Each structure stands twice: as structure tokens, then as C-alpha cells.
Amino acid sequence: MQFDKTKTYTNLARSFAGESQAGMRYQLIAREAMAQGYITLADTIKVLAKNETEHARRFFEELNKRGEYLENIDLNAGYPFHGGDIEQGLKNAMIDERKEHEIIYPAFQKDAEEEGFKDIANLFKLVAQVEVRHEMVFKYLYEAFKKGVLYSNESPILYVCSECGYMHTATKAWNVCPLCQSSQGYVELHVPFEKEKL
């Protein structure tokens, strides 16, 4: 069977488009966070955007290494197209990541396995594993931002200024760094990672 007639071919193209768009949506959320002074929040989101771009790169490489130069691929697929403020953007990203690792990539992995593309099936599996972690990060960021507790905690934790390295242990970060006078938006975030079975 010609590669460009397979489900896997279409799924790689859809994945490239989807990951590229996710990376851009996350950059836009980060841009708004930066504009509002949430510097480390923006930095955290930018890392996730970079991850999405790397996923897109891998899908693009797999798509191109198996065939001739591809001028155009027609896709009939839906992609998230939602905006909003920082809070809504974080919530949407959390939901999108869940759909990717629970529905989209497992289905694409299955198609690739059935069509005999074990390496591509594994790629979909590995990306889905990363999206589990992305969902966890976006969930934490969304809930903390919504509740106004990005810079506070029930028990004392170490807060560090990302600009000058000043640190102290407390239940709440400073509003202005006592050392360099940077705003609270420069305080490093404590994004917890739960143990999960992958």
C-alpha cells in the first residue's frame, strides 16, 4: 500500500498541524501572561509551547522521510480554535491536552500498529505520554491562577526570585523582591508532578 493512502499518513499530517497550532496557542497565552507581569508563568508556558513545536517537528520528519516531496496534503479535520484571557487559555489547554492523550494519539497509535508502522505507533505513544504531563501542568496552573494562589501555599515552601536568586521559606511569596525589587511575577513557580502510570 502506498504510504500516502494510509491512515497513518493522514494522522501524521493532522498531528503536525495540531501540534503546530497548540504551540502557537500556548505562545499567545504566554504573551498575555508576560504583558500582565506573570513572567515565570509565561516562561513555564513557553517551555510547553516549545515541547509542542518539537512534537510537530517529529511528525513532520516522519511524514517526509517516507515519500517524495509533499506539496500539499488536504485534511478534513477539526482543530481547537479558542481564545480568551489567561485563565480561560490555561483551562482550554488542559482540556486539549487531555483529549490528545486520552483519545487522539491512542487512536492514531492503533491505526499505525494495524498498518504495520510500529515506529510511528511508538512515536504517537511517546507524545501521548508527554501530553499526560502537559495536562497536569496546565491543570495546576489553571487552578492556581483561578484561585489566586500561584504565589502561595498552605504550608511553608521555598520561594526563589528568578532574577537575582533571593530566596526565603514562607507560605506566601513577597510582592516585591527585597533584594532586586522585581515584582512577584518573577517568583519561580512550584509546579507539582504527580506520579502516574504510563
Side-chain angles (χ1 to χ4, degrees):
M1 179 184 281
Q2 275 185 258
F3 184 60
D4 64 356
K5 305 295 184 204
T6 65
K7 290 180 184 177
T8 300
Y9 171 85
T10 301
N11 292 342
L12 282 171
R14 289 178 60 190
S15 299
F16 169 71
E19 295 289 314
S20 297
Q21 291 176 38
M24 178 49 73
R25 283 193 310 274
Y26 300 167
Q27 286 286 355
L28 294 173
I29 299 167
R31 183 178 185 179
E32 183 60 28
M34 185 75 74
Q36 292 187 32
Y38 295 101
I39 308 308
T40 55
L41 174 60
D43 290 344
T44 301
I45 298 167
K46 285 178 187 178
V47 169
L48 301 177
K50 179 183 175 191
N51 295 164
E52 299 299 318
T53 302
E54 283 300 304
H55 300 169
R57 179 186 63 80
R58 286 293 293 121
F59 292 134
F60 187 78
E61 288 173 352
E62 289 300 324
L63 192 60
N64 278 279
K65 81 178 188 182
R66 288 180 162 75
E68 301 171 15
Y69 172 74
L70 306 170
E71 188 170 319
N72 192 56
I73 300 174
D74 290 320
L75 295 175
N76 182 12
Y79 295 97
F81 193 84
H82 37 62
D85 59 13
I86 296 171
E87 182 181 319
Q88 190 62 49
L90 294 170
K91 181 179 181 182
N92 289 337
M94 173 189 71
I95 293 167
D96 294 343
E97 294 291 334
R98 184 179 314 128
K99 287 178 185 172
E100 286 181 353
H101 75 76
E102 287 184 353
I103 300 168
I104 297 168
Y105 290 133
F108 290 179
Q109 178 184 346
K110 184 175 182 273
D111 288 341
E113 287 169 351
E114 289 173 354
E115 293 177 330
F117 301 107
K118 294 191 185 317
D119 56 335
I120 297 174
N122 190 56
L123 175 60
F124 285 129
K125 178 183 175 183
L126 293 174
V127 171
Q129 290 173 349
V130 173
E131 307 305 20
V132 169
R133 288 180 177 84
H134 283 185
E135 180 197 356
M136 288 169 33
V137 172
F138 277 121
K139 181 178 187 224
Y140 168 78
L141 294 174
Y142 163 65
E143 290 175 353
F145 189 85
K146 181 179 179 180
K147 294 175 186 172
V149 295
L150 275 176
Y151 307 107
S152 64
N153 198 54
E154 290 180 6
S155 57
I157 57 174
L158 180 67
Y159 289 101
V160 180
C161 177
S162 65
E163 288 293 279
C164 71
Y166 174 79
M167 53 184 112
H168 82 181
T169 302
T171 56
K172 187 171 188 214
W174 54 84
N175 290 325
V176 176
C177 176
L179 177 58
C180 71
Q181 304 296 299
S182 292
S183 69
Q184 190 177 63
Y186 286 91
V187 173
E188 292 179 7
L189 298 178
H190 292 275
V191 181
F193 286 95
E194 300 171 18
K195 292 181 180 178
E196 74 284 341
K197 293 180 183 178
L198 297 176

